[in-house]
Amino acid sequence: MLGLGIALVFAGYILKNINNPAKVLFAQFYFILFSQALITMLGAPSFIMYLGDVCNLIVLLHLIYSKRLLVLRKSLLNIIVCIFLFFLIGITVAFINNVGFHLVFWSLRNYLRFLVFIIAIVTYWDNTNTIKITKNLFPLLFINAAVSLIQYSQHIYSPDWIGGILGNYYGVNSYSLMLFIFSSAYYVDAFINKKEKIYKVILAIISIFVCVVVADLKVFYFMFIIEALIIMIQNKIGFRMIMLFLVGSIMAIVIYFVCLSLYNSQNIFDVNYILYYLTESSYSYSTTSINRTDGISIINRVFNFSKEQELFGLGLGAGEYNSFFSSDIYAQYGDMHYIWFLYAWIYLENGIIGLVLFFLMLTFLLIYIWRNKGKVSTSIQRTACAMLAIAFLLTFYSPSSRNDSAYIFYAIVGIAIKECLERRNQYEMVKF
C-alpha cells in the first residue's frame, strides 16, 4: 500500500504541475529511478510503470499545443535520418511480414517514448534541475550502498536481485548500471575539475563499488575504466588527473583482492576465461539460449534467416511482448532470451541494417556533443560523452538502453544537447 500511495502522490504532483513541463520531467526522472523499488519493496502494483507514459504524453501535448518543435539544425540531421530510416524500414518489413498492428504500435511506444523524452528535455528542462540531480547523487549512492549491504547480509537474495534502494528483483541490474555509469563518470570529472569535495568523491566511488561487488556486476569494472579514460581525455593533464591515476591503480589492486576473496576464483581476471564467458554458446537454459556475442548466429540458425532477413530482420514488433500480449515469436522462442540483449533483439526485428543505424545514431550523438560542447565544456557534457561510449557495450550486455532504466541515460544526453545548443545559441523553432 505504501508503494501505491507514493505513486499516487507522484501522479498528483504531475497533475498539479501539468502546465510546467520542466517540473514534470524532473519528477519523471526520479519516479522512473525508484519505480521498481515501489513495486518490489513497497508493494505497488506494476501498472504504476505507465505513469512514465503519462508524463511523456503531457510533455508531447505541450510540444504540439505550443505549435513548435525543436529543429536540431544540420549538425544533428544525420541523427534524425538514422532514426527515420530505422523506423521506416522496421515498419515496412513488419507490414510485409504481417506483424500485428498492436505489436508494431507497442514497439514504437518502447522506442519513441525516449525520443519524446529527449526532445522535451532539450526544449523544457530547467538548468537548476541539473544542479539538483548532481547534488542528490551523494546521499543517494551512500544510502543505496547501505541498503545493498543489508540485502546481501540477509542471504535471501542472489546477487542479480540486489539493487539497494532501486529494488530487489531479477533485472534490477539495469537500473543499477545506469545509475553507476552516470554517477561514476560525473564524480571522476568532478574530482579532476574540483566540482565536488574530495571526501564526497571518495565516498561516492566507494559506495558504487560496494554495490558492484555485492551485486556481482563484474562488467562495471571495464565500464569504469572506459569512462575514466574518456573523462580524462576531455580534460587537461594536471595534478588531480595524475592523482586520479595513482588512486585508481590502488583501487584496482584492492578490488582485485576483494573479488578474489568474495568470488574465490581467479577466473574473472583471466583473459581466456573472460573470452570464453563472452562467447560460450548459451547460459545452459536451453540449446538455443544466446549469450552476449552469439545472438546473431543462433537467430540465423533457429529462424533459418535468408540473406534478406539477415539484412532487414522480421519487422518492428515481431519479437515484442508485454504483460497483456506477446508475439508468436516470443511465445515460442522466448527461452532464447533474445530480450536479454539489445543487439539480439534489434537484429531479430531490424536485421544488420537496424543494428548499423542504431550504432550510427549513438556515434553521431557522441560526435555532436564532443564537437559542440565548446572550449569550456560542462561536467554533464563530458559525462554524456562517457555514457554514450559505454552505450555500445551495454547494447551487448543487456537491454537497458531499451527498458525504463534508459530514461536515466537519455536524460543526461538530452541535458548535454541542450547545453550545447544554448552555448552556441542554436535554437530554431518551426511551426506546423
Side-chain angles (χ1 to χ4, degrees), residues 85-262:
L85 289 177
F86 182 89
F87 290 120
L88 176 63
I89 295 173
I91 293 172
T92 301
V93 175
F95 176 77
I96 294 172
N97 291 331
N98 295 316
V99 178
F101 173 79
H102 61 296
L103 297 172
V104 176
F105 172 81
W106 193 251
S107 187
L108 285 171
R109 172 261 181 190
N110 285 333
Y111 284 112
L112 289 177
R113 56 183 173 159
F114 300 124
L115 183 60
V116 171
F117 182 69
I118 200 170
I119 292 174
I121 288 284
V122 174
T123 307
Y124 295 117
W125 185 260
D126 188 338
N127 290 330
T128 59
N129 288 339
T130 305
I131 298 174
K132 293 177 183 178
I133 285 176
T134 54
K135 292 302 180 184
N136 290 341
L137 279 176
F138 178 73
L140 191 154
L141 292 171
F142 196 75
I143 296 171
N144 188 57
V147 176
S148 294
L149 285 173
I150 293 172
Q151 292 173 343
Y152 177 76
S153 66
Q154 292 176 335
H155 301 292
I156 59 176
Y157 305 112
S158 70
D160 290 335
W161 289 62
I162 297 177
I165 57 176
L166 304 181
N168 55 309
Y169 70 103
Y170 187 80
V172 71
N173 287 349
S174 292
Y175 287 81
S176 298
L177 274 176
M178 281 298 185
L179 176 62
F180 299 158
I181 290 167
F182 167 42
S183 304
S184 59
Y186 169 76
Y187 275 109
V188 167
D189 185 80
F191 173 77
I192 294 174
N193 292 282
K194 302 179 182 180
K195 296 291 186 181
E196 297 283 356
K197 295 179 180 178
I198 293 180
Y199 84 90
K200 283 190 174 183
V201 175
I202 294 173
L203 289 178
I205 297 297
I206 290 175
S207 297
I208 290 172
F209 275 97
V210 164
C211 297
V212 167
V213 170
V214 299
D216 193 15
L217 292 173
K218 294 186 284 289
V219 71
F220 182 76
Y221 304 139
F222 302 99
M223 293 180 175
F224 182 76
I225 293 171
I226 295 171
E227 281 195 309
L229 288 174
I230 292 174
I231 292 295
M232 293 170 72
I233 290 171
Q234 295 179 86
N235 286 285
K236 294 181 180 179
I237 297 176
F239 173 74
R240 286 197 167 223
M241 191 178 294
I242 296 172
M243 185 187 300
L244 176 66
F245 179 79
L246 294 174
V247 172
S249 300
I250 295 172
M251 279 185 62
I253 296 172
V254 172
I255 291 171
Y256 174 80
F257 286 105
V258 169
C259 289
L260 287 183
S261 174
L262 186 65

Side-chain angles (χ1 to χ4, degrees), residues 10-121:
F10 167 76
Y13 179 84
I14 61 174
L15 289 176
K16 179 182 178 181
N17 294 282
I18 196 169
N19 292 319
N20 191 333
K23 288 188 175 181
V24 172
L25 290 167
F26 183 71
Q28 182 182 6
F29 177 87
Y30 279 106
F31 179 78
I32 294 297
L33 186 62
F34 295 112
S35 57
Q36 289 296 335
L38 296 180
I39 295 170
T40 61
M41 298 172 67
L42 299 179
S46 58
F47 70 76
I48 69 166
M49 294 297 302
Y50 298 113
L51 287 174
D53 293 297
V54 175
C55 293
N56 281 341
L57 180 60
I58 290 173
V59 295
L60 177 60
L61 290 174
H62 273 282
L63 288 168
I64 295 173
Y65 180 75
S66 61
K67 294 184 179 180
R68 64 181 188 178
L69 288 175
L70 187 64
V71 176
L72 300 178
R73 298 181 67 90
K74 294 180 180 179
S75 56
L76 280 171
L77 181 61
N78 45 18
I79 300 172
I80 297 171
V81 170
C82 287
I83 295 172
F84 174 77
L85 289 177
F86 182 89
F87 290 120
L88 176 63
I89 295 173
I91 293 172
T92 301
V93 175
F95 176 77
I96 294 172
N97 291 331
N98 295 316
V99 178
F101 173 79
H102 61 296
L103 297 172
V104 176
F105 172 81
W106 193 251
S107 187
L108 285 171
R109 172 261 181 190
N110 285 333
Y111 284 112
L112 289 177
R113 56 183 173 159
F114 300 124
L115 183 60
V116 171
F117 182 69
I118 200 170
I119 292 174
I121 288 284

Side-chain angles (χ1 to χ4, degrees), residues 200-343:
K200 283 190 174 183
V201 175
I202 294 173
L203 289 178
I205 297 297
I206 290 175
S207 297
I208 290 172
F209 275 97
V210 164
C211 297
V212 167
V213 170
V214 299
D216 193 15
L217 292 173
K218 294 186 284 289
V219 71
F220 182 76
Y221 304 139
F222 302 99
M223 293 180 175
F224 182 76
I225 293 171
I226 295 171
E227 281 195 309
L229 288 174
I230 292 174
I231 292 295
M232 293 170 72
I233 290 171
Q234 295 179 86
N235 286 285
K236 294 181 180 179
I237 297 176
F239 173 74
R240 286 197 167 223
M241 191 178 294
I242 296 172
M243 185 187 300
L244 176 66
F245 179 79
L246 294 174
V247 172
S249 300
I250 295 172
M251 279 185 62
I253 296 172
V254 172
I255 291 171
Y256 174 80
F257 286 105
V258 169
C259 289
L260 287 183
S261 174
L262 186 65
Y263 305 128
N264 193 28
S265 171
Q266 296 186 23
N267 284 339
I268 62 172
F269 299 104
D270 183 87
V271 175
N272 291 328
Y273 173 78
I274 292 171
L275 291 175
Y276 166 76
Y277 176 75
L278 290 174
T279 58
E280 63 179 333
S281 61
S282 74
Y283 282 117
S284 300
Y285 296 120
S286 71
T287 57
T288 58
S289 181
I290 67 175
N291 204 312
R292 294 187 174 97
T293 56
D294 63 358
I296 291 177
S297 61
I298 289 183
I299 288 172
N300 286 341
R301 172 169 57 84
V302 172
F303 292 95
N304 193 26
F305 266 12
S306 64
K307 292 298 182 182
E308 292 77 14
Q309 289 172 326
E310 289 180 12
L311 284 175
F312 302 107
L314 298 176
L316 201 66
E320 195 58 72
Y321 82 103
N322 67 18
S323 301
F324 307 102
F325 55 81
S326 62
S327 66
D328 293 338
I329 288 176
Y330 179 78
Q332 186 172 355
Y333 298 101
D335 61 354
M336 288 179 62
H337 303 121
Y338 62 85
I339 65 170
W340 288 6
F341 311 106
L342 182 58
Y343 84 96

